[in-house]
Amino acid sequence: FPAALGRHGWFQSHGQWGIETTPISLPGTLFFFDWDGSGNADHVGIVVGVDETRVYTVEGNSGNDACNYKSYLRGSSVIRGYG
């Protein structure tokens, strides 16, 4: 899913957008990140699991030219939303 910037708009216009304050997404959902705090999605990962406190993703372009598993606290300020 190249160029995450602005891609969340499709999910919003099709009623498929969620934010971290709504019920958490299921594995396979795309998670959009806002690393620079601009309000725009600038990175995307695929949810592979969730628990009470964390969201687990797999992401490309995450530091070493490979796909990596990552985890984030639910409600993290870098999570823009999901679709």
Side-chain angles (χ1 to χ4, degrees):
F1 201 72
L5 184 62
R7 300 289 188 199
H8 65 280
W10 184 93
F11 292 98
Q12 289 172 320
S13 67
H14 288 81
Q16 301 295 313
W17 182 250
I19 56 174
E20 190 59 24
T21 58
T22 60
I24 196 66
S25 60
L26 297 173
T29 300
L30 298 179
F31 238 54
F32 292 85
F33 299 92
D34 178 11
W35 294 122
D36 61 9
S38 67
N40 294 313
D42 47 29
H43 185 70
V44 66
I46 301 170
V47 175
V48 296
V50 295
D51 63 25
E52 296 79 26
T53 60
R54 300 193 80 77
V55 177
Y56 301 89
T57 62
V58 64
E59 305 169 36
N61 297 329
S62 56
N64 60 359
D65 293 327
C67 290
N68 292 297
Y69 289 102
K70 311 270 283 206
S71 72
Y72 302 89
L73 286 173
R74 292 177 62 171
S76 170
S77 64
V78 300
I79 298 173
R80 173 73 174 90
Y82 57 88

